[in-house]
Amino acid sequence: GYCSDGDYFGYIIMPFYLEGKLIYFNARNYMASGPKYNNPKVEDFGIGKSVLIYNRDALNIYDTVYVVESILNARTLGDRACSFGGKALSEIQINGIIKSTCKKVIILLDPDAYHEAIKLGLRLIDHKKVKVVLLPDDSDVNDLGRKATMKHVYSNRYLSYHDLIKLNNNL
């Protein structure tokens, strides 16, 4: 939604749901002067950024999920994409993936976070099939769009622990 008055005037509201219940929201500046994000305080919802996973339900609905940095990247990819609010996932967020029923995780962090993507792959490889996709030319999912991003996904293979160690050592 979009706010036309109050504390969030000029901000687009992006809700976080868990099992159909609103648990949080991000407020992204669209037309207002002020900070890029104007998110609720932890006290307002009893939850903070390090716990949040946008579209968390996808982890238990689909066999294959996409891990991206931002909500807008997740929206570009669709229902199977989860956003973690940045390139460094917390232990709580990582455990949310590990404990979920999804079987395959495709990591599509921004190119500047390739090292973090490989480290995340190493954390997940004992629990899920993992694919780490490096997007070209400093582009993220939104820059490329869904169709071009999916071409990169399909042109990469799932990795073994050995593959991930090799990638990590080559950085």
Side-chain angles (χ1 to χ4, degrees), residues 35-46:
K36 184 176 181 178
Y37 289 96
N38 183 15
N39 299 328
K41 297 178 181 89
V42 172
E43 301 82 40
D44 295 344
F45 282 87

Side-chain angles (χ1 to χ4, degrees), residues 48-92:
K49 181 181 173 187
S50 66
V51 176
L52 291 168
I53 300 173
Y54 177 79
N55 197 23
R56 184 182 193 121
D57 290 336
L59 294 168
N60 291 310
I61 294 172
Y62 301 104
D63 284 342
T64 303
V65 296
Y66 304 99
V67 170
V68 296
E69 289 185 40
S70 76
I71 294 172
L72 297 176
N73 286 338
R75 299 288 300 170
T76 296
L77 287 181
D79 292 344
R80 294 175 187 239
C82 300
S83 166
F84 293 82
K87 60 185 173 182
L89 279 67
S90 71
E91 289 299 314
I92 293 169

Side-chain angles (χ1 to χ4, degrees), residues 12-41:
I12 295 172
I13 304 301
M14 297 170 280
F16 286 67
Y17 292 100
L18 182 60
E19 298 175 356
K21 180 182 174 195
L22 177 69
I23 59 167
Y24 194 78
F25 66 87
N26 277 152
R28 173 75 157 81
N29 193 336
Y30 177 68
M31 291 179 35
S33 61
K36 184 176 181 178
Y37 289 96
N38 183 15
N39 299 328
K41 297 178 181 89

Side-chain angles (χ1 to χ4, degrees), residues 105-166:
V105 177
I106 299 171
I107 303 168
L108 290 149
L109 301 184
D110 295 353
D112 69 329
Y114 191 53
H115 190 269
E116 287 82 358
I118 293 168
K119 288 190 330 190
L120 176 59
L122 285 166
R123 290 291 311 279
L124 299 176
I125 195 70
D126 288 337
H127 310 279
K128 311 287 181 186
K129 287 184 78 171
V130 173
K131 188 183 285 193
V132 177
V133 179
L134 176 62
L135 299 174
D137 304 323
D138 294 328
S139 300
D140 70 7
V141 170
N142 287 330
D143 296 328
L144 296 172
R146 187 182 197 295
K147 187 175 179 181
T149 298
M150 295 312 290
K151 283 183 181 179
H152 290 286
V153 168
Y154 297 136
S155 69
N156 281 268
R157 62 182 176 81
Y158 286 95
L159 303 170
S160 68
Y161 178 78
H162 178 75
D163 295 329
L164 287 165
I165 290 293
K166 209 165 149 180

